[in-house]
Amino acid sequence: PHYGRGRQWQRAWRRKVLGALGGCDLLLLPAAARHAPTAAESEPLAMTAVLARFTGVWVLSRTPALSVPVGFVEEMPVGMQLVGRPWEEGVLLPAAAYQSVTDWHLRRPDPAAWRAGAAAHGSG
């Protein structure tokens, strides 16, 4: 019964996603609910669950998706994700060219901010 309910949810999710994509080429969404973690916040399993919450669902809708860096918040990187219609990677991939005309992917977090986050949380 759990498998059956899961498959029903997956089909409903796919219909919602395809409906959202109905009149547009792409969806532009945040890649995560927050900026990248500081050293003190980097407990791998817990932070992976937080950071992957917005990106992991696209596999269930069977739609192509990719993430690119778009800036910094509190000196830590943030990203956007682009989601396209099934089998239309040819539309999705050129949109990712945004990364080639910006330098966000070349910037690194300020080491002082990284260490300050660690010190504020008692590690580092």
Side-chain angles (χ1 to χ4, degrees):
H2 295 293
Y3 178 79
R5 281 193 297 275
R7 293 291 292 163
Q8 285 178 326
W9 183 90
Q10 181 182 11
R11 285 189 289 275
W13 170 243
R14 181 171 167 81
R15 284 191 301 275
K16 285 181 185 180
V17 171
L18 295 178
L21 283 162
C24 56
D25 294 327
L26 301 168
L27 298 176
L28 184 143
L29 306 152
R34 54 158 295 158
H35 60 72
T38 63
E41 301 168 315
S42 292
E43 196 286 306
L45 291 177
M47 194 51 67
T48 297
V50 170
L51 294 175
R53 191 175 74 206
F54 288 5
T55 57
V57 297
W58 304 111
V59 70
L60 296 173
S61 66
R62 299 190 333 251
T63 51
L66 59 86
S67 298
V68 295
V70 294
F72 281 71
V73 171
E74 298 176 11
E75 297 299 320
M76 299 304 287
V78 294
M80 71 172 173
Q81 63 181 326
L82 300 168
V83 178
R85 289 188 289 251
W87 307 108
E88 294 193 17
E89 289 85 351
V91 173
L92 181 65
L93 293 174
Y98 166 85
Q99 183 170 323
S100 68
V101 296
T102 66
D103 69 349
W104 296 119
H105 62 289
L106 301 174
R107 286 191 53 200
R108 299 291 178 255
D110 177 7
W114 180 268
R115 285 190 293 278
H121 291 88
S123 63

PDB file of all heavy atoms in Angstrom, residues 76-114:
ATOM      1  N   MET A  76      27.827  34.061   1.836  1.00  0.00           N
ATOM      2  CA  MET A  76      27.800  32.646   1.486  1.00  0.00           C
ATOM      3  C   MET A  76      27.021  32.485   0.174  1.00  0.00           C
ATOM      4  O   MET A  76      26.069  33.211  -0.086  1.00  0.00           O
ATOM      5  CB  MET A  76      27.144  31.831   2.602  1.00  0.00           C
ATOM      6  CG  MET A  76      27.900  31.933   3.935  1.00  0.00           C
ATOM      7  SD  MET A  76      29.635  31.451   3.840  1.00  0.00           S
ATOM      8  CE  MET A  76      29.480  29.699   3.680  1.00  0.00           C
ATOM      9  N   PRO A  77      27.414  31.516  -0.678  1.00  0.00           N
ATOM     10  CA  PRO A  77      26.808  31.389  -2.003  1.00  0.00           C
ATOM     11  C   PRO A  77      25.357  30.907  -1.983  1.00  0.00           C
ATOM     12  O   PRO A  77      24.954  30.144  -1.115  1.00  0.00           O
ATOM     13  CB  PRO A  77      27.696  30.365  -2.711  1.00  0.00           C
ATOM     14  CG  PRO A  77      28.526  29.738  -1.675  1.00  0.00           C
ATOM     15  CD  PRO A  77      28.505  30.584  -0.454  1.00  0.00           C
ATOM     16  N   VAL A  78      24.598  31.405  -2.971  1.00  0.00           N
ATOM     17  CA  VAL A  78      23.231  30.957  -3.216  1.00  0.00           C
ATOM     18  C   VAL A  78      23.112  30.612  -4.699  1.00  0.00           C
ATOM     19  O   VAL A  78      23.905  31.071  -5.521  1.00  0.00           O
ATOM     20  CB  VAL A  78      22.171  32.015  -2.837  1.00  0.00           C
ATOM     21  CG1 VAL A  78      22.160  32.257  -1.343  1.00  0.00           C
ATOM     22  CG2 VAL A  78      22.383  33.313  -3.585  1.00  0.00           C
ATOM     23  N   GLY A  79      22.123  29.809  -5.034  1.00  0.00           N
ATOM     24  CA  GLY A  79      21.956  29.406  -6.423  1.00  0.00           C
ATOM     25  C   GLY A  79      20.510  29.421  -6.850  1.00  0.00           C
ATOM     26  O   GLY A  79      19.587  29.514  -6.039  1.00  0.00           O
ATOM     27  N   MET A  80      20.332  29.340  -8.168  1.00  0.00           N
ATOM     28  CA  MET A  80      18.993  29.190  -8.739  1.00  0.00           C
ATOM     29  C   MET A  80      18.969  27.859  -9.468  1.00  0.00           C
ATOM     30  O   MET A  80      20.004  27.316  -9.836  1.00  0.00           O
ATOM     31  CB  MET A  80      18.672  30.309  -9.719  1.00  0.00           C
ATOM     32  CG  MET A  80      19.430  30.249 -11.022  1.00  0.00           C
ATOM     33  SD  MET A  80      18.817  31.479 -12.187  1.00  0.00           S
ATOM     34  CE  MET A  80      20.031  31.310 -13.494  1.00  0.00           C
ATOM     35  N   GLN A  81      17.779  27.331  -9.633  1.00  0.00           N
ATOM     36  CA  GLN A  81      17.663  26.148 -10.466  1.00  0.00           C
ATOM     37  C   GLN A  81      16.676  26.430 -11.582  1.00  0.00           C
ATOM     38  O   GLN A  81      15.741  27.212 -11.433  1.00  0.00           O
ATOM     39  CB  GLN A  81      17.285  24.921  -9.667  1.00  0.00           C
ATOM     40  CG  GLN A  81      15.959  24.957  -8.983  1.00  0.00           C
ATOM     41  CD  GLN A  81      15.708  23.680  -8.207  1.00  0.00           C
ATOM     42  OE1 GLN A  81      16.110  22.593  -8.599  1.00  0.00           O
ATOM     43  NE2 GLN A  81      15.042  23.810  -7.084  1.00  0.00           N
ATOM     44  N   LEU A  82      16.943  25.822 -12.697  1.00  0.00           N
ATOM     45  CA  LEU A  82      16.088  25.918 -13.867  1.00  0.00           C
ATOM     46  C   LEU A  82      15.491  24.541 -14.104  1.00  0.00           C
ATOM     47  O   LEU A  82      16.206  23.539 -14.070  1.00  0.00           O
ATOM     48  CB  LEU A  82      16.903  26.355 -15.083  1.00  0.00           C
ATOM     49  CG  LEU A  82      17.592  27.716 -14.957  1.00  0.00           C
ATOM     50  CD1 LEU A  82      18.589  27.909 -16.082  1.00  0.00           C
ATOM     51  CD2 LEU A  82      16.561  28.823 -14.937  1.00  0.00           C
ATOM     52  N   VAL A  83      14.191  24.501 -14.320  1.00  0.00           N
ATOM     53  CA  VAL A  83      13.493  23.247 -14.570  1.00  0.00           C
ATOM     54  C   VAL A  83      12.812  23.371 -15.922  1.00  0.00           C
ATOM     55  O   VAL A  83      12.141  24.373 -16.200  1.00  0.00           O
ATOM     56  CB  VAL A  83      12.444  22.970 -13.469  1.00  0.00           C
ATOM     57  CG1 VAL A  83      11.683  21.683 -13.756  1.00  0.00           C
ATOM     58  CG2 VAL A  83      13.106  22.914 -12.105  1.00  0.00           C
ATOM     59  N   GLY A  84      12.997  22.373 -16.773  1.00  0.00           N
ATOM     60  CA  GLY A  84      12.418  22.386 -18.106  1.00  0.00           C
ATOM     61  C   GLY A  84      11.413  21.275 -18.317  1.00  0.00           C
ATOM     62  O   GLY A  84      11.230  20.406 -17.458  1.00  0.00           O
ATOM     63  N   ARG A  85      10.784  21.298 -19.467  1.00  0.00           N
ATOM     64  CA  ARG A  85       9.837  20.248 -19.821  1.00  0.00           C
ATOM     65  C   ARG A  85      10.585  18.961 -20.189  1.00  0.00           C
ATOM     66  O   ARG A  85      11.733  19.013 -20.645  1.00  0.00           O
ATOM     67  CB  ARG A  85       8.961  20.704 -20.992  1.00  0.00           C
ATOM     68  CG  ARG A  85       7.978  21.789 -20.587  1.00  0.00           C
ATOM     69  CD  ARG A  85       7.003  22.068 -21.711  1.00  0.00           C
ATOM     70  NE  ARG A  85       7.662  22.758 -22.803  1.00  0.00           N
ATOM     71  CZ  ARG A  85       7.458  24.027 -23.117  1.00  0.00           C
ATOM     72  NH1 ARG A  85       6.611  24.744 -22.453  1.00  0.00           N
ATOM     73  NH2 ARG A  85       8.102  24.579 -24.116  1.00  0.00           N
ATOM     74  N   PRO A  86       9.930  17.828 -20.007  1.00  0.00           N
ATOM     75  CA  PRO A  86      10.578  16.561 -20.362  1.00  0.00           C
ATOM     76  C   PRO A  86      11.044  16.565 -21.814  1.00  0.00           C
ATOM     77  O   PRO A  86      10.346  17.050 -22.699  1.00  0.00           O
ATOM     78  CB  PRO A  86       9.459  15.523 -20.159  1.00  0.00           C
ATOM     79  CG  PRO A  86       8.528  16.161 -19.182  1.00  0.00           C
ATOM     80  CD  PRO A  86       8.590  17.639 -19.468  1.00  0.00           C
ATOM     81  N   TRP A  87      12.247  16.063 -22.007  1.00  0.00           N
ATOM     82  CA  TRP A  87      12.862  15.899 -23.324  1.00  0.00           C
ATOM     83  C   TRP A  87      13.165  17.227 -24.012  1.00  0.00           C
ATOM     84  O   TRP A  87      13.394  17.265 -25.204  1.00  0.00           O
ATOM     85  CB  TRP A  87      12.017  15.000 -24.231  1.00  0.00           C
ATOM     86  CG  TRP A  87      11.700  13.700 -23.576  1.00  0.00           C
ATOM     87  CD1 TRP A  87      10.489  13.299 -23.098  1.00  0.00           C
ATOM     88  CD2 TRP A  87      12.609  12.657 -23.266  1.00  0.00           C
ATOM     89  NE1 TRP A  87      10.589  12.066 -22.517  1.00  0.00           N
ATOM     90  CE2 TRP A  87      11.899  11.638 -22.611  1.00  0.00           C
ATOM     91  CE3 TRP A  87      13.974  12.467 -23.470  1.00  0.00           C
ATOM     92  CZ2 TRP A  87      12.481  10.471 -22.162  1.00  0.00           C
ATOM     93  CZ3 TRP A  87      14.557  11.294 -23.024  1.00  0.00           C
ATOM     94  CH2 TRP A  87      13.817  10.324 -22.386  1.00  0.00           C
ATOM     95  N   GLU A  88      13.187  18.328 -23.259  1.00  0.00           N
ATOM     96  CA  GLU A  88      13.501  19.626 -23.856  1.00  0.00           C
ATOM     97  C   GLU A  88      14.741  20.242 -23.223  1.00  0.00           C
ATOM     98  O   GLU A  88      14.797  21.432 -22.937  1.00  0.00           O
ATOM     99  CB  GLU A  88      12.293  20.559 -23.766  1.00  0.00           C
ATOM    100  CG  GLU A  88      11.146  20.068 -24.620  1.00  0.00           C
ATOM    101  CD  GLU A  88      10.050  21.094 -24.815  1.00  0.00           C
ATOM    102  OE1 GLU A  88      10.283  22.295 -24.563  1.00  0.00           O
ATOM    103  OE2 GLU A  88       8.971  20.672 -25.228  1.00  0.00           O
ATOM    104  N   GLU A  89      15.751  19.415 -23.034  1.00  0.00           N
ATOM    105  CA  GLU A  89      17.019  19.896 -22.515  1.00  0.00           C
ATOM    106  C   GLU A  89      17.619  20.951 -23.432  1.00  0.00           C
ATOM    107  O   GLU A  89      18.375  21.805 -22.998  1.00  0.00           O
ATOM    108  CB  GLU A  89      18.002  18.745 -22.329  1.00  0.00           C
ATOM    109  CG  GLU A  89      17.665  17.814 -21.184  1.00  0.00           C
ATOM    110  CD  GLU A  89      16.674  16.717 -21.545  1.00  0.00           C
ATOM    111  OE1 GLU A  89      16.087  16.761 -22.651  1.00  0.00           O
ATOM    112  OE2 GLU A  89      16.473  15.820 -20.714  1.00  0.00           O
ATOM    113  N   GLY A  90      17.257  20.908 -24.716  1.00  0.00           N
ATOM    114  CA  GLY A  90      17.739  21.900 -25.676  1.00  0.00           C
ATOM    115  C   GLY A  90      17.291  23.311 -25.345  1.00  0.00           C
ATOM    116  O   GLY A  90      17.903  24.276 -25.780  1.00  0.00           O
ATOM    117  N   VAL A  91      16.245  23.462 -24.573  1.00  0.00           N
ATOM    118  CA  VAL A  91      15.800  24.775 -24.097  1.00  0.00           C
ATOM    119  C   VAL A  91      16.490  25.097 -22.772  1.00  0.00           C
ATOM    120  O   VAL A  91      16.912  26.219 -22.531  1.00  0.00           O
ATOM    121  CB  VAL A  91      14.262  24.808 -23.916  1.00  0.00           C
ATOM    122  CG1 VAL A  91      13.805  26.098 -23.275  1.00  0.00           C
ATOM    123  CG2 VAL A  91      13.565  24.581 -25.245  1.00  0.00           C
ATOM    124  N   LEU A  92      16.616  24.097 -21.936  1.00  0.00           N
ATOM    125  CA  LEU A  92      17.175  24.281 -20.601  1.00  0.00           C
ATOM    126  C   LEU A  92      18.658  24.629 -20.632  1.00  0.00           C
ATOM    127  O   LEU A  92      19.101  25.568 -19.970  1.00  0.00           O
ATOM    128  CB  LEU A  92      16.957  23.003 -19.789  1.00  0.00           C
ATOM    129  CG  LEU A  92      17.444  22.977 -18.355  1.00  0.00           C
ATOM    130  CD1 LEU A  92      16.675  23.968 -17.511  1.00  0.00           C
ATOM    131  CD2 LEU A  92      17.304  21.582 -17.788  1.00  0.00           C
ATOM    132  N   LEU A  93      19.438  23.913 -21.401  1.00  0.00           N
ATOM    133  CA  LEU A  93      20.888  24.098 -21.372  1.00  0.00           C
ATOM    134  C   LEU A  93      21.338  25.483 -21.836  1.00  0.00           C
ATOM    135  O   LEU A  93      22.209  26.075 -21.197  1.00  0.00           O
ATOM    136  CB  LEU A  93      21.570  22.983 -22.157  1.00  0.00           C
ATOM    137  CG  LEU A  93      21.422  21.601 -21.503  1.00  0.00           C
ATOM    138  CD1 LEU A  93      21.985  20.525 -22.403  1.00  0.00           C
ATOM    139  CD2 LEU A  93      22.058  21.574 -20.138  1.00  0.00           C
ATOM    140  N   PRO A  94      20.795  26.050 -22.916  1.00  0.00           N
ATOM    141  CA  PRO A  94      21.216  27.414 -23.271  1.00  0.00           C
ATOM    142  C   PRO A  94      20.880  28.447 -22.190  1.00  0.00           C
ATOM    143  O   PRO A  94      21.608  29.412 -22.013  1.00  0.00           O
ATOM    144  CB  PRO A  94      20.455  27.704 -24.563  1.00  0.00           C
ATOM    145  CG  PRO A  94      20.185  26.370 -25.149  1.00  0.00           C
ATOM    146  CD  PRO A  94      19.964  25.465 -23.962  1.00  0.00           C
ATOM    147  N   ALA A  95      19.806  28.230 -21.458  1.00  0.00           N
ATOM    148  CA  ALA A  95      19.467  29.159 -20.380  1.00  0.00           C
ATOM    149  C   ALA A  95      20.531  29.151 -19.292  1.00  0.00           C
ATOM    150  O   ALA A  95      20.756  30.148 -18.614  1.00  0.00           O
ATOM    151  CB  ALA A  95      18.099  28.813 -19.791  1.00  0.00           C
ATOM    152  N   ALA A  96      21.212  28.028 -19.139  1.00  0.00           N
ATOM    153  CA  ALA A  96      22.276  27.936 -18.146  1.00  0.00           C
ATOM    154  C   ALA A  96      23.498  28.738 -18.556  1.00  0.00           C
ATOM    155  O   ALA A  96      24.428  28.903 -17.776  1.00  0.00           O
ATOM    156  CB  ALA A  96      22.653  26.481 -17.912  1.00  0.00           C
ATOM    157  N   ALA A  97      23.500  29.268 -19.772  1.00  0.00           N
ATOM    158  CA  ALA A  97      24.608  30.106 -20.223  1.00  0.00           C
ATOM    159  C   ALA A  97      24.736  31.355 -19.356  1.00  0.00           C
ATOM    160  O   ALA A  97      25.758  32.033 -19.394  1.00  0.00           O
ATOM    161  CB  ALA A  97      24.428  30.497 -21.682  1.00  0.00           C
ATOM    162  N   TYR A  98      23.706  31.648 -18.559  1.00  0.00           N
ATOM    163  CA  TYR A  98      23.787  32.734 -17.585  1.00  0.00           C
ATOM    164  C   TYR A  98      25.106  32.645 -16.820  1.00  0.00           C
ATOM    165  O   TYR A  98      25.764  33.653 -16.589  1.00  0.00           O
ATOM    166  CB  TYR A  98      22.603  32.635 -16.615  1.00  0.00           C
ATOM    167  CG  TYR A  98      22.742  33.486 -15.377  1.00  0.00           C
ATOM    168  CD1 TYR A  98      22.362  34.817 -15.401  1.00  0.00           C
ATOM    169  CD2 TYR A  98      23.281  32.973 -14.210  1.00  0.00           C
ATOM    170  CE1 TYR A  98      22.501  35.606 -14.267  1.00  0.00           C
ATOM    171  CE2 TYR A  98      23.427  33.751 -13.086  1.00  0.00           C
ATOM    172  CZ  TYR A  98      23.040  35.069 -13.119  1.00  0.00           C
ATOM    173  OH  TYR A  98      23.192  35.851 -12.015  1.00  0.00           O
ATOM    174  N   GLN A  99      25.487  31.443 -16.458  1.00  0.00           N
ATOM    175  CA  GLN A  99      26.716  31.260 -15.686  1.00  0.00           C
ATOM    176  C   GLN A  99      27.933  31.753 -16.455  1.00  0.00           C
ATOM    177  O   GLN A  99      28.864  32.280 -15.866  1.00  0.00           O
ATOM    178  CB  GLN A  99      26.882  29.792 -15.309  1.00  0.00           C
ATOM    179  CG  GLN A  99      28.102  29.559 -14.442  1.00  0.00           C
ATOM    180  CD  GLN A  99      28.146  28.164 -13.872  1.00  0.00           C
ATOM    181  OE1 GLN A  99      27.136  27.595 -13.518  1.00  0.00           O
ATOM    182  NE2 GLN A  99      29.337  27.617 -13.772  1.00  0.00           N
ATOM    183  N   SER A 100      27.943  31.620 -17.777  1.00  0.00           N
ATOM    184  CA  SER A 100      29.125  32.010 -18.546  1.00  0.00           C
ATOM    185  C   SER A 100      29.258  33.527 -18.705  1.00  0.00           C
ATOM    186  O   SER A 100      30.313  34.003 -19.105  1.00  0.00           O
ATOM    187  CB  SER A 100      29.105  31.340 -19.920  1.00  0.00           C
ATOM    188  OG  SER A 100      28.064  31.871 -20.705  1.00  0.00           O
ATOM    189  N   VAL A 101      28.204  34.282 -18.417  1.00  0.00           N
ATOM    190  CA  VAL A 101      28.283  35.741 -18.549  1.00  0.00           C
ATOM    191  C   VAL A 101      28.303  36.433 -17.185  1.00  0.00           C
ATOM    192  O   VAL A 101      28.183  37.654 -17.097  1.00  0.00           O
ATOM    193  CB  VAL A 101      27.139  36.304 -19.435  1.00  0.00           C
ATOM    194  CG1 VAL A 101      27.259  35.782 -20.847  1.00  0.00           C
ATOM    195  CG2 VAL A 101      25.780  36.005 -18.846  1.00  0.00           C
ATOM    196  N   THR A 102      28.424  35.656 -16.125  1.00  0.00           N
ATOM    197  CA  THR A 102      28.568  36.207 -14.780  1.00  0.00           C
ATOM    198  C   THR A 102      29.822  35.600 -14.152  1.00  0.00           C
ATOM    199  O   THR A 102      30.400  34.665 -14.692  1.00  0.00           O
ATOM    200  CB  THR A 102      27.342  35.872 -13.900  1.00  0.00           C
ATOM    201  OG1 THR A 102      27.300  34.463 -13.688  1.00  0.00           O
ATOM    202  CG2 THR A 102      26.040  36.351 -14.539  1.00  0.00           C
ATOM    203  N   ASP A 103      30.206  36.119 -13.010  1.00  0.00           N
ATOM    204  CA  ASP A 103      31.388  35.552 -12.346  1.00  0.00           C
ATOM    205  C   ASP A 103      31.058  34.914 -11.000  1.00  0.00           C
ATOM    206  O   ASP A 103      31.938  34.608 -10.221  1.00  0.00           O
ATOM    207  CB  ASP A 103      32.464  36.621 -12.176  1.00  0.00           C
ATOM    208  CG  ASP A 103      32.090  37.699 -11.165  1.00  0.00           C
ATOM    209  OD1 ASP A 103      30.912  37.759 -10.739  1.00  0.00           O
ATOM    210  OD2 ASP A 103      32.978  38.487 -10.799  1.00  0.00           O
ATOM    211  N   TRP A 104      29.777  34.673 -10.738  1.00  0.00           N
ATOM    212  CA  TRP A 104      29.406  34.097  -9.439  1.00  0.00           C
ATOM    213  C   TRP A 104      30.097  32.761  -9.197  1.00  0.00           C
ATOM    214  O   TRP A 104      30.485  32.454  -8.075  1.00  0.00           O
ATOM    215  CB  TRP A 104      27.892  33.902  -9.337  1.00  0.00           C
ATOM    216  CG  TRP A 104      27.121  35.168  -9.371  1.00  0.00           C
ATOM    217  CD1 TRP A 104      26.185  35.521 -10.304  1.00  0.00           C
ATOM    218  CD2 TRP A 104      27.199  36.260  -8.465  1.00  0.00           C
ATOM    219  NE1 TRP A 104      25.692  36.769 -10.032  1.00  0.00           N
ATOM    220  CE2 TRP A 104      26.297  37.252  -8.896  1.00  0.00           C
ATOM    221  CE3 TRP A 104      27.950  36.513  -7.320  1.00  0.00           C
ATOM    222  CZ2 TRP A 104      26.121  38.450  -8.236  1.00  0.00           C
ATOM    223  CZ3 TRP A 104      27.773  37.711  -6.657  1.00  0.00           C
ATOM    224  CH2 TRP A 104      26.865  38.661  -7.118  1.00  0.00           C
ATOM    225  N   HIS A 105      30.233  31.965 -10.247  1.00  0.00           N
ATOM    226  CA  HIS A 105      30.833  30.641 -10.079  1.00  0.00           C
ATOM    227  C   HIS A 105      32.336  30.717  -9.804  1.00  0.00           C
ATOM    228  O   HIS A 105      32.940  29.733  -9.391  1.00  0.00           O
ATOM    229  CB  HIS A 105      30.556  29.763 -11.302  1.00  0.00           C
ATOM    230  CG  HIS A 105      31.131  30.298 -12.567  1.00  0.00           C
ATOM    231  ND1 HIS A 105      30.639  31.417 -13.199  1.00  0.00           N
ATOM    232  CD2 HIS A 105      32.160  29.874 -13.318  1.00  0.00           C
ATOM    233  CE1 HIS A 105      31.343  31.652 -14.292  1.00  0.00           C
ATOM    234  NE2 HIS A 105      32.276  30.733 -14.385  1.00  0.00           N
ATOM    235  N   LEU A 106      32.934  31.869  -9.993  1.00  0.00           N
ATOM    236  CA  LEU A 106      34.360  32.044  -9.731  1.00  0.00           C
ATOM    237  C   LEU A 106      34.636  32.567  -8.325  1.00  0.00           C
ATOM    238  O   LEU A 106      35.738  32.422  -7.804  1.00  0.00           O
ATOM    239  CB  LEU A 106      34.967  33.008 -10.759  1.00  0.00           C
ATOM    240  CG  LEU A 106      34.840  32.578 -12.216  1.00  0.00           C
ATOM    241  CD1 LEU A 106      35.342  33.683 -13.136  1.00  0.00           C
ATOM    242  CD2 LEU A 106      35.562  31.268 -12.466  1.00  0.00           C
ATOM    243  N   ARG A 107      33.626  33.211  -7.717  1.00  0.00           N
ATOM    244  CA  ARG A 107      33.802  33.767  -6.375  1.00  0.00           C
ATOM    245  C   ARG A 107      33.806  32.663  -5.331  1.00  0.00           C
ATOM    246  O   ARG A 107      33.192  31.622  -5.506  1.00  0.00           O
ATOM    247  CB  ARG A 107      32.679  34.752  -6.058  1.00  0.00           C
ATOM    248  CG  ARG A 107      32.834  36.065  -6.796  1.00  0.00           C
ATOM    249  CD  ARG A 107      31.895  37.120  -6.291  1.00  0.00           C
ATOM    250  NE  ARG A 107      31.993  37.288  -4.851  1.00  0.00           N
ATOM    251  CZ  ARG A 107      31.029  37.854  -4.115  1.00  0.00           C
ATOM    252  NH1 ARG A 107      29.934  38.296  -4.691  1.00  0.00           N
ATOM    253  NH2 ARG A 107      31.161  37.972  -2.816  1.00  0.00           N
ATOM    254  N   ARG A 108      34.490  32.921  -4.260  1.00  0.00           N
ATOM    255  CA  ARG A 108      34.544  31.992  -3.137  1.00  0.00           C
ATOM    256  C   ARG A 108      34.040  32.712  -1.893  1.00  0.00           C
ATOM    257  O   ARG A 108      34.203  33.925  -1.773  1.00  0.00           O
ATOM    258  CB  ARG A 108      35.981  31.511  -2.895  1.00  0.00           C
ATOM    259  CG  ARG A 108      36.577  30.762  -4.074  1.00  0.00           C
ATOM    260  CD  ARG A 108      35.876  29.423  -4.238  1.00  0.00           C
ATOM    261  NE  ARG A 108      36.362  28.683  -5.378  1.00  0.00           N
ATOM    262  CZ  ARG A 108      35.711  28.541  -6.532  1.00  0.00           C
ATOM    263  NH1 ARG A 108      34.549  29.106  -6.718  1.00  0.00           N
ATOM    264  NH2 ARG A 108      36.219  27.836  -7.507  1.00  0.00           N
ATOM    265  N   PRO A 109      33.467  31.973  -0.949  1.00  0.00           N
ATOM    266  CA  PRO A 109      33.032  32.609   0.301  1.00  0.00           C
ATOM    267  C   PRO A 109      34.215  33.270   0.989  1.00  0.00           C
ATOM    268  O   PRO A 109      35.344  32.791   0.912  1.00  0.00           O
ATOM    269  CB  PRO A 109      32.498  31.447   1.133  1.00  0.00           C
ATOM    270  CG  PRO A 109      32.169  30.386   0.141  1.00  0.00           C
ATOM    271  CD  PRO A 109      33.155  30.558  -0.985  1.00  0.00           C
ATOM    272  N   ASP A 110      33.946  34.356   1.655  1.00  0.00           N
ATOM    273  CA  ASP A 110      34.963  35.068   2.420  1.00  0.00           C
ATOM    274  C   ASP A 110      35.404  34.169   3.581  1.00  0.00           C
ATOM    275  O   ASP A 110      34.577  33.789   4.411  1.00  0.00           O
ATOM    276  CB  ASP A 110      34.377  36.378   2.940  1.00  0.00           C
ATOM    277  CG  ASP A 110      35.339  37.160   3.806  1.00  0.00           C
ATOM    278  OD1 ASP A 110      36.525  36.781   3.915  1.00  0.00           O
ATOM    279  OD2 ASP A 110      34.902  38.173   4.377  1.00  0.00           O
ATOM    280  N   PRO A 111      36.694  33.816   3.639  1.00  0.00           N
ATOM    281  CA  PRO A 111      37.152  32.938   4.731  1.00  0.00           C
ATOM    282  C   PRO A 111      36.843  33.500   6.117  1.00  0.00           C
ATOM    283  O   PRO A 111      36.558  32.741   7.039  1.00  0.00           O
ATOM    284  CB  PRO A 111      38.659  32.837   4.508  1.00  0.00           C
ATOM    285  CG  PRO A 111      38.856  33.148   3.058  1.00  0.00           C
ATOM    286  CD  PRO A 111      37.765  34.133   2.701  1.00  0.00           C
ATOM    287  N   ALA A 112      36.848  34.822   6.258  1.00  0.00           N
ATOM    288  CA  ALA A 112      36.534  35.411   7.566  1.00  0.00           C
ATOM    289  C   ALA A 112      35.085  35.125   7.945  1.00  0.00           C
ATOM    290  O   ALA A 112      34.788  34.824   9.098  1.00  0.00           O
ATOM    291  CB  ALA A 112      36.794  36.918   7.542  1.00  0.00           C
ATOM    292  N   ALA A 113      34.175  35.207   6.983  1.00  0.00           N
ATOM    293  CA  ALA A 113      32.765  34.911   7.259  1.00  0.00           C
ATOM    294  C   ALA A 113      32.596  33.441   7.616  1.00  0.00           C
ATOM    295  O   ALA A 113      31.848  33.079   8.518  1.00  0.00           O
ATOM    296  CB  ALA A 113      31.896  35.280   6.062  1.00  0.00           C
ATOM    297  N   TRP A 114      33.314  32.573   6.915  1.00  0.00           N
ATOM    298  CA  TRP A 114      33.256  31.145   7.184  1.00  0.00           C
ATOM    299  C   TRP A 114      33.727  30.862   8.606  1.00  0.00           C
ATOM    300  O   TRP A 114      33.082  30.171   9.370  1.00  0.00           O
ATOM    301  CB  TRP A 114      34.113  30.410   6.160  1.00  0.00           C
ATOM    302  CG  TRP A 114      34.157  28.936   6.316  1.00  0.00           C
ATOM    303  CD1 TRP A 114      35.056  28.208   7.016  1.00  0.00           C
ATOM    304  CD2 TRP A 114      33.240  27.988   5.759  1.00  0.00           C
ATOM    305  NE1 TRP A 114      34.776  26.861   6.914  1.00  0.00           N
ATOM    306  CE2 TRP A 114      33.663  26.708   6.164  1.00  0.00           C
ATOM    307  CE3 TRP A 114      32.109  28.095   4.961  1.00  0.00           C
ATOM    308  CZ2 TRP A 114      33.013  25.549   5.797  1.00  0.00           C
ATOM    309  CZ3 TRP A 114      31.458  26.933   4.597  1.00  0.00           C
ATOM    310  CH2 TRP A 114      31.900  25.688   5.013  1.00  0.00           C
TER     311      TRP A 114
END
